PDB file of all heavy atoms in Angstrom:
ATOM      1  N   ASP A 108     -55.901 -70.009  -6.045  1.00 82.00           N
ATOM      2  CA  ASP A 108     -57.027 -69.083  -5.947  1.00 82.00           C
ATOM      3  C   ASP A 108     -56.543 -67.656  -6.145  1.00 82.00           C
ATOM      4  O   ASP A 108     -55.551 -67.244  -5.544  1.00 82.00           O
ATOM      5  CB  ASP A 108     -57.697 -69.193  -4.568  1.00 82.00           C
ATOM      6  CG  ASP A 108     -58.426 -70.512  -4.399  1.00 82.00           C
ATOM      7  OD1 ASP A 108     -58.933 -71.027  -5.414  1.00 82.00           O
ATOM      8  OD2 ASP A 108     -58.468 -71.029  -3.277  1.00 82.00           O
ATOM      9  N   THR A 109     -57.232 -66.928  -6.988  1.00 80.00           N
ATOM     10  CA  THR A 109     -56.974 -65.501  -7.125  1.00 80.00           C
ATOM     11  C   THR A 109     -57.744 -64.803  -6.017  1.00 80.00           C
ATOM     12  O   THR A 109     -58.961 -64.969  -5.896  1.00 80.00           O
ATOM     13  CB  THR A 109     -57.423 -64.998  -8.505  1.00 80.00           C
ATOM     14  OG1 THR A 109     -56.699 -65.717  -9.501  1.00 80.00           O
ATOM     15  CG2 THR A 109     -57.180 -63.516  -8.650  1.00 80.00           C
ATOM     16  N   LEU A 110     -57.039 -64.039  -5.208  1.00 80.00           N
ATOM     17  CA  LEU A 110     -57.657 -63.451  -4.028  1.00 80.00           C
ATOM     18  C   LEU A 110     -58.363 -62.131  -4.313  1.00 80.00           C
ATOM     19  O   LEU A 110     -59.447 -61.878  -3.827  1.00 80.00           O
ATOM     20  CB  LEU A 110     -56.605 -63.257  -2.939  1.00 80.00           C
ATOM     21  CG  LEU A 110     -55.881 -64.543  -2.530  1.00 80.00           C
ATOM     22  CD1 LEU A 110     -54.796 -64.226  -1.514  1.00 80.00           C
ATOM     23  CD2 LEU A 110     -56.864 -65.555  -1.977  1.00 80.00           C
ATOM     24  N   ARG A 111     -57.714 -61.268  -5.090  1.00 86.00           N
ATOM     25  CA  ARG A 111     -58.324 -59.982  -5.442  1.00 86.00           C
ATOM     26  C   ARG A 111     -57.435 -59.304  -6.478  1.00 86.00           C
ATOM     27  O   ARG A 111     -56.307 -59.705  -6.695  1.00 86.00           O
ATOM     28  CB  ARG A 111     -58.524 -59.093  -4.226  1.00 86.00           C
ATOM     29  CG  ARG A 111     -57.248 -58.663  -3.555  1.00 86.00           C
ATOM     30  CD  ARG A 111     -57.554 -57.826  -2.309  1.00 86.00           C
ATOM     31  NE  ARG A 111     -56.372 -57.186  -1.809  1.00 86.00           N
ATOM     32  CZ  ARG A 111     -55.557 -57.704  -0.901  1.00 86.00           C
ATOM     33  NH1 ARG A 111     -55.816 -58.894  -0.386  1.00 86.00           N
ATOM     34  NH2 ARG A 111     -54.497 -57.053  -0.496  1.00 86.00           N
ATOM     35  N   LEU A 112     -57.949 -58.276  -7.091  1.00 86.00           N
ATOM     36  CA  LEU A 112     -57.188 -57.500  -8.059  1.00 86.00           C
ATOM     37  C   LEU A 112     -56.229 -56.584  -7.308  1.00 86.00           C
ATOM     38  O   LEU A 112     -56.624 -55.887  -6.368  1.00 86.00           O
ATOM     39  CB  LEU A 112     -58.138 -56.677  -8.929  1.00 86.00           C
ATOM     40  CG  LEU A 112     -57.512 -55.819 -10.020  1.00 86.00           C
ATOM     41  CD1 LEU A 112     -56.883 -56.700 -11.093  1.00 86.00           C
ATOM     42  CD2 LEU A 112     -58.559 -54.914 -10.634  1.00 86.00           C
ATOM     43  N   ASP A 113     -54.962 -56.566  -7.702  1.00 91.00           N
ATOM     44  CA  ASP A 113     -53.975 -55.728  -7.026  1.00 91.00           C
ATOM     45  C   ASP A 113     -54.025 -54.288  -7.529  1.00 91.00           C
ATOM     46  O   ASP A 113     -54.123 -53.355  -6.749  1.00 91.00           O
ATOM     47  CB  ASP A 113     -52.568 -56.303  -7.219  1.00 91.00           C
ATOM     48  CG  ASP A 113     -51.516 -55.485  -6.501  1.00 91.00           C
ATOM     49  OD1 ASP A 113     -51.600 -55.391  -5.255  1.00 91.00           O
ATOM     50  OD2 ASP A 113     -50.642 -54.916  -7.176  1.00 91.00           O
ATOM     51  N   HIS A 114     -53.923 -54.095  -8.837  1.00 94.00           N
ATOM     52  CA  HIS A 114     -53.972 -52.752  -9.399  1.00 94.00           C
ATOM     53  C   HIS A 114     -54.258 -52.834 -10.891  1.00 94.00           C
ATOM     54  O   HIS A 114     -54.189 -53.893 -11.487  1.00 94.00           O
ATOM     55  CB  HIS A 114     -52.659 -51.988  -9.160  1.00 94.00           C
ATOM     56  CG  HIS A 114     -51.490 -52.547  -9.902  1.00 94.00           C
ATOM     57  ND1 HIS A 114     -50.685 -53.535  -9.378  1.00 94.00           N
ATOM     58  CD2 HIS A 114     -50.990 -52.279 -11.125  1.00 94.00           C
ATOM     59  CE1 HIS A 114     -49.734 -53.839 -10.246  1.00 94.00           C
ATOM     60  NE2 HIS A 114     -49.901 -53.089 -11.334  1.00 94.00           N
ATOM     61  N   VAL A 115     -54.564 -51.688 -11.463  1.00 94.00           N
ATOM     62  CA  VAL A 115     -54.744 -51.547 -12.902  1.00 94.00           C
ATOM     63  C   VAL A 115     -53.657 -50.591 -13.385  1.00 94.00           C
ATOM     64  O   VAL A 115     -53.451 -49.533 -12.786  1.00 94.00           O
ATOM     65  CB  VAL A 115     -56.140 -50.977 -13.245  1.00 94.00           C
ATOM     66  CG1 VAL A 115     -56.263 -50.679 -14.726  1.00 94.00           C
ATOM     67  CG2 VAL A 115     -57.232 -51.919 -12.791  1.00 94.00           C
ATOM     68  N   GLY A 116     -52.936 -50.971 -14.435  1.00 95.00           N
ATOM     69  CA  GLY A 116     -51.929 -50.102 -15.033  1.00 95.00           C
ATOM     70  C   GLY A 116     -52.559 -49.258 -16.130  1.00 95.00           C
ATOM     71  O   GLY A 116     -53.269 -49.782 -16.978  1.00 95.00           O
ATOM     72  N   ILE A 117     -52.283 -47.950 -16.088  1.00 96.00           N
ATOM     73  CA  ILE A 117     -52.859 -47.017 -17.049  1.00 96.00           C
ATOM     74  C   ILE A 117     -51.714 -46.227 -17.679  1.00 96.00           C
ATOM     75  O   ILE A 117     -51.000 -45.503 -16.983  1.00 96.00           O
ATOM     76  CB  ILE A 117     -53.870 -46.069 -16.367  1.00 96.00           C
ATOM     77  CG1 ILE A 117     -54.984 -46.881 -15.685  1.00 96.00           C
ATOM     78  CG2 ILE A 117     -54.440 -45.080 -17.373  1.00 96.00           C
ATOM     79  CD1 ILE A 117     -55.920 -46.055 -14.821  1.00 96.00           C
ATOM     80  N   ARG A 118     -51.536 -46.372 -18.984  1.00 96.00           N
ATOM     81  CA  ARG A 118     -50.465 -45.652 -19.680  1.00 96.00           C
ATOM     82  C   ARG A 118     -50.885 -44.199 -19.906  1.00 96.00           C
ATOM     83  O   ARG A 118     -51.990 -43.926 -20.371  1.00 96.00           O
ATOM     84  CB  ARG A 118     -50.135 -46.322 -21.004  1.00 96.00           C
ATOM     85  CG  ARG A 118     -49.007 -45.599 -21.745  1.00 96.00           C
ATOM     86  CD  ARG A 118     -48.369 -46.442 -22.830  1.00 96.00           C
ATOM     87  NE  ARG A 118     -47.455 -47.384 -22.191  1.00 96.00           N
ATOM     88  CZ  ARG A 118     -47.547 -48.718 -22.305  1.00 96.00           C
ATOM     89  NH1 ARG A 118     -48.485 -49.253 -23.044  1.00 96.00           N
ATOM     90  NH2 ARG A 118     -46.695 -49.500 -21.707  1.00 96.00           N
ATOM     91  N   VAL A 119     -49.981 -43.277 -19.554  1.00 97.00           N
ATOM     92  CA  VAL A 119     -50.242 -41.847 -19.687  1.00 97.00           C
ATOM     93  C   VAL A 119     -49.039 -41.164 -20.339  1.00 97.00           C
ATOM     94  O   VAL A 119     -47.946 -41.733 -20.390  1.00 97.00           O
ATOM     95  CB  VAL A 119     -50.558 -41.193 -18.317  1.00 97.00           C
ATOM     96  CG1 VAL A 119     -51.797 -41.823 -17.692  1.00 97.00           C
ATOM     97  CG2 VAL A 119     -49.371 -41.284 -17.358  1.00 97.00           C
ATOM     98  N   THR A 120     -49.252 -39.949 -20.824  1.00 96.00           N
ATOM     99  CA  THR A 120     -48.169 -39.215 -21.474  1.00 96.00           C
ATOM    100  C   THR A 120     -47.457 -38.261 -20.532  1.00 96.00           C
ATOM    101  O   THR A 120     -46.273 -37.992 -20.696  1.00 96.00           O
ATOM    102  CB  THR A 120     -48.688 -38.416 -22.686  1.00 96.00           C
ATOM    103  OG1 THR A 120     -49.732 -37.546 -22.246  1.00 96.00           O
ATOM    104  CG2 THR A 120     -49.211 -39.339 -23.770  1.00 96.00           C
ATOM    105  N   ASP A 121     -48.159 -37.706 -19.556  1.00 97.00           N
ATOM    106  CA  ASP A 121     -47.581 -36.723 -18.652  1.00 97.00           C
ATOM    107  C   ASP A 121     -47.969 -37.075 -17.222  1.00 97.00           C
ATOM    108  O   ASP A 121     -49.147 -36.995 -16.860  1.00 97.00           O
ATOM    109  CB  ASP A 121     -48.081 -35.323 -19.027  1.00 97.00           C
ATOM    110  CG  ASP A 121     -47.437 -34.221 -18.225  1.00 97.00           C
ATOM    111  OD1 ASP A 121     -47.585 -34.207 -16.982  1.00 97.00           O
ATOM    112  OD2 ASP A 121     -46.788 -33.361 -18.849  1.00 97.00           O
ATOM    113  N   LEU A 122     -46.974 -37.443 -16.413  1.00 98.00           N
ATOM    114  CA  LEU A 122     -47.265 -37.901 -15.050  1.00 98.00           C
ATOM    115  C   LEU A 122     -47.952 -36.821 -14.225  1.00 98.00           C
ATOM    116  O   LEU A 122     -48.931 -37.107 -13.535  1.00 98.00           O
ATOM    117  CB  LEU A 122     -45.977 -38.366 -14.362  1.00 98.00           C
ATOM    118  CG  LEU A 122     -46.142 -38.805 -12.899  1.00 98.00           C
ATOM    119  CD1 LEU A 122     -47.140 -39.951 -12.777  1.00 98.00           C
ATOM    120  CD2 LEU A 122     -44.800 -39.173 -12.299  1.00 98.00           C
ATOM    121  N   ALA A 123     -47.484 -35.594 -14.277  1.00 98.00           N
ATOM    122  CA  ALA A 123     -48.063 -34.534 -13.447  1.00 98.00           C
ATOM    123  C   ALA A 123     -49.535 -34.297 -13.778  1.00 98.00           C
ATOM    124  O   ALA A 123     -50.370 -34.160 -12.879  1.00 98.00           O
ATOM    125  CB  ALA A 123     -47.258 -33.245 -13.602  1.00 98.00           C
ATOM    126  N   ILE A 124     -49.848 -34.238 -15.057  1.00 97.00           N
ATOM    127  CA  ILE A 124     -51.245 -34.015 -15.470  1.00 97.00           C
ATOM    128  C   ILE A 124     -52.117 -35.190 -15.046  1.00 97.00           C
ATOM    129  O   ILE A 124     -53.206 -35.014 -14.499  1.00 97.00           O
ATOM    130  CB  ILE A 124     -51.326 -33.784 -16.992  1.00 97.00           C
ATOM    131  CG1 ILE A 124     -50.696 -32.435 -17.342  1.00 97.00           C
ATOM    132  CG2 ILE A 124     -52.775 -33.847 -17.482  1.00 97.00           C
ATOM    133  CD1 ILE A 124     -50.530 -32.191 -18.832  1.00 97.00           C
ATOM    134  N   ALA A 125     -51.642 -36.415 -15.278  1.00 98.00           N
ATOM    135  CA  ALA A 125     -52.415 -37.602 -14.912  1.00 98.00           C
ATOM    136  C   ALA A 125     -52.580 -37.702 -13.394  1.00 98.00           C
ATOM    137  O   ALA A 125     -53.668 -37.999 -12.898  1.00 98.00           O
ATOM    138  CB  ALA A 125     -51.739 -38.857 -15.458  1.00 98.00           C
ATOM    139  N   GLU A 126     -51.507 -37.451 -12.664  1.00 98.00           N
ATOM    140  CA  GLU A 126     -51.576 -37.545 -11.207  1.00 98.00           C
ATOM    141  C   GLU A 126     -52.566 -36.526 -10.648  1.00 98.00           C
ATOM    142  O   GLU A 126     -53.324 -36.828  -9.725  1.00 98.00           O
ATOM    143  CB  GLU A 126     -50.185 -37.336 -10.621  1.00 98.00           C
ATOM    144  CG  GLU A 126     -50.032 -37.867  -9.230  1.00 98.00           C
ATOM    145  CD  GLU A 126     -48.592 -37.897  -8.746  1.00 98.00           C
ATOM    146  OE1 GLU A 126     -47.665 -37.517  -9.491  1.00 98.00           O
ATOM    147  OE2 GLU A 126     -48.410 -38.315  -7.596  1.00 98.00           O
ATOM    148  N   ASP A 127     -52.598 -35.330 -11.228  1.00 97.00           N
ATOM    149  CA  ASP A 127     -53.554 -34.311 -10.806  1.00 97.00           C
ATOM    150  C   ASP A 127     -54.996 -34.765 -11.068  1.00 97.00           C
ATOM    151  O   ASP A 127     -55.876 -34.602 -10.229  1.00 97.00           O
ATOM    152  CB  ASP A 127     -53.267 -32.989 -11.527  1.00 97.00           C
ATOM    153  CG  ASP A 127     -54.217 -31.885 -11.104  1.00 97.00           C
ATOM    154  OD1 ASP A 127     -54.251 -31.561  -9.899  1.00 97.00           O
ATOM    155  OD2 ASP A 127     -54.933 -31.340 -11.974  1.00 97.00           O
ATOM    156  N   PHE A 128     -55.233 -35.347 -12.248  1.00 97.00           N
ATOM    157  CA  PHE A 128     -56.569 -35.832 -12.589  1.00 97.00           C
ATOM    158  C   PHE A 128     -57.014 -36.922 -11.611  1.00 97.00           C
ATOM    159  O   PHE A 128     -58.121 -36.869 -11.067  1.00 97.00           O
ATOM    160  CB  PHE A 128     -56.595 -36.373 -14.017  1.00 97.00           C
ATOM    161  CG  PHE A 128     -57.905 -36.990 -14.404  1.00 97.00           C
ATOM    162  CD1 PHE A 128     -58.953 -36.214 -14.856  1.00 97.00           C
ATOM    163  CD2 PHE A 128     -58.095 -38.369 -14.306  1.00 97.00           C
ATOM    164  CE1 PHE A 128     -60.171 -36.785 -15.209  1.00 97.00           C
ATOM    165  CE2 PHE A 128     -59.305 -38.943 -14.648  1.00 97.00           C
ATOM    166  CZ  PHE A 128     -60.348 -38.152 -15.102  1.00 97.00           C
ATOM    167  N   TYR A 129     -56.166 -37.914 -11.379  1.00 97.00           N
ATOM    168  CA  TYR A 129     -56.543 -39.024 -10.504  1.00 97.00           C
ATOM    169  C   TYR A 129     -56.625 -38.594  -9.041  1.00 97.00           C
ATOM    170  O   TYR A 129     -57.377 -39.192  -8.263  1.00 97.00           O
ATOM    171  CB  TYR A 129     -55.621 -40.226 -10.725  1.00 97.00           C
ATOM    172  CG  TYR A 129     -55.959 -40.919 -12.029  1.00 97.00           C
ATOM    173  CD1 TYR A 129     -55.277 -40.626 -13.200  1.00 97.00           C
ATOM    174  CD2 TYR A 129     -57.013 -41.821 -12.095  1.00 97.00           C
ATOM    175  CE1 TYR A 129     -55.622 -41.226 -14.406  1.00 97.00           C
ATOM    176  CE2 TYR A 129     -57.370 -42.426 -13.286  1.00 97.00           C
ATOM    177  CZ  TYR A 129     -56.663 -42.124 -14.439  1.00 97.00           C
ATOM    178  OH  TYR A 129     -57.030 -42.719 -15.626  1.00 97.00           O
ATOM    179  N   ALA A 130     -55.912 -37.527  -8.667  1.00 97.00           N
ATOM    180  CA  ALA A 130     -56.048 -36.970  -7.316  1.00 97.00           C
ATOM    181  C   ALA A 130     -57.470 -36.446  -7.114  1.00 97.00           C
ATOM    182  O   ALA A 130     -58.030 -36.559  -6.019  1.00 97.00           O
ATOM    183  CB  ALA A 130     -55.028 -35.861  -7.087  1.00 97.00           C
ATOM    184  N   LYS A 131     -58.072 -35.891  -8.171  1.00 96.00           N
ATOM    185  CA  LYS A 131     -59.459 -35.430  -8.076  1.00 96.00           C
ATOM    186  C   LYS A 131     -60.402 -36.587  -7.769  1.00 96.00           C
ATOM    187  O   LYS A 131     -61.458 -36.390  -7.173  1.00 96.00           O
ATOM    188  CB  LYS A 131     -59.887 -34.746  -9.371  1.00 96.00           C
ATOM    189  CG  LYS A 131     -59.220 -33.423  -9.610  1.00 96.00           C
ATOM    190  CD  LYS A 131     -59.663 -32.831 -10.939  1.00 96.00           C
ATOM    191  CE  LYS A 131     -58.963 -31.525 -11.218  1.00 96.00           C
ATOM    192  NZ  LYS A 131     -59.361 -30.958 -12.515  1.00 96.00           N
ATOM    193  N   LEU A 132     -60.017 -37.796  -8.189  1.00 95.00           N
ATOM    194  CA  LEU A 132     -60.832 -38.983  -7.921  1.00 95.00           C
ATOM    195  C   LEU A 132     -60.488 -39.610  -6.571  1.00 95.00           C
ATOM    196  O   LEU A 132     -61.032 -40.642  -6.214  1.00 95.00           O
ATOM    197  CB  LEU A 132     -60.639 -40.017  -9.032  1.00 95.00           C
ATOM    198  CG  LEU A 132     -61.086 -39.583 -10.432  1.00 95.00           C
ATOM    199  CD1 LEU A 132     -60.719 -40.650 -11.454  1.00 95.00           C
ATOM    200  CD2 LEU A 132     -62.576 -39.293 -10.468  1.00 95.00           C
ATOM    201  N   GLY A 133     -59.569 -38.987  -5.835  1.00 95.00           N
ATOM    202  CA  GLY A 133     -59.236 -39.448  -4.491  1.00 95.00           C
ATOM    203  C   GLY A 133     -57.957 -40.260  -4.384  1.00 95.00           C
ATOM    204  O   GLY A 133     -57.619 -40.736  -3.305  1.00 95.00           O
ATOM    205  N   PHE A 134     -57.222 -40.438  -5.483  1.00 97.00           N
ATOM    206  CA  PHE A 134     -55.994 -41.227  -5.464  1.00 97.00           C
ATOM    207  C   PHE A 134     -54.800 -40.355  -5.076  1.00 97.00           C
ATOM    208  O   PHE A 134     -54.697 -39.208  -5.518  1.00 97.00           O
ATOM    209  CB  PHE A 134     -55.723 -41.855  -6.834  1.00 97.00           C
ATOM    210  CG  PHE A 134     -56.655 -42.973  -7.185  1.00 97.00           C
ATOM    211  CD1 PHE A 134     -57.857 -42.713  -7.827  1.00 97.00           C
ATOM    212  CD2 PHE A 134     -56.337 -44.286  -6.875  1.00 97.00           C
ATOM    213  CE1 PHE A 134     -58.724 -43.746  -8.161  1.00 97.00           C
ATOM    214  CE2 PHE A 134     -57.197 -45.320  -7.202  1.00 97.00           C
ATOM    215  CZ  PHE A 134     -58.389 -45.054  -7.843  1.00 97.00           C
ATOM    216  N   THR A 135     -53.905 -40.894  -4.259  1.00 98.00           N
ATOM    217  CA  THR A 135     -52.675 -40.208  -3.884  1.00 98.00           C
ATOM    218  C   THR A 135     -51.486 -41.113  -4.175  1.00 98.00           C
ATOM    219  O   THR A 135     -51.609 -42.341  -4.209  1.00 98.00           O
ATOM    220  CB  THR A 135     -52.666 -39.834  -2.388  1.00 98.00           C
ATOM    221  OG1 THR A 135     -52.829 -41.022  -1.613  1.00 98.00           O
ATOM    222  CG2 THR A 135     -53.767 -38.844  -2.063  1.00 98.00           C
ATOM    223  N   ARG A 136     -50.337 -40.487  -4.360  1.00 98.00           N
ATOM    224  CA  ARG A 136     -49.117 -41.236  -4.683  1.00 98.00           C
ATOM    225  C   ARG A 136     -48.700 -42.106  -3.494  1.00 98.00           C
ATOM    226  O   ARG A 136     -48.696 -41.658  -2.358  1.00 98.00           O
ATOM    227  CB  ARG A 136     -47.988 -40.288  -5.033  1.00 98.00           C
ATOM    228  CG  ARG A 136     -46.721 -41.029  -5.451  1.00 98.00           C
ATOM    229  CD  ARG A 136     -45.572 -40.122  -5.734  1.00 98.00           C
ATOM    230  NE  ARG A 136     -45.789 -39.398  -6.989  1.00 98.00           N
ATOM    231  CZ  ARG A 136     -44.821 -38.785  -7.648  1.00 98.00           C
ATOM    232  NH1 ARG A 136     -43.591 -38.788  -7.176  1.00 98.00           N
ATOM    233  NH2 ARG A 136     -45.088 -38.145  -8.770  1.00 98.00           N
TER     234      ARG A 136
END
């Protein structure tokens, strides 16, 4: 049985820029 989705991998070019964008959506490292 698959219990739930663990995560989604998203390829990005610049970690700092991407991390800042996703932080606006409420995500933290």
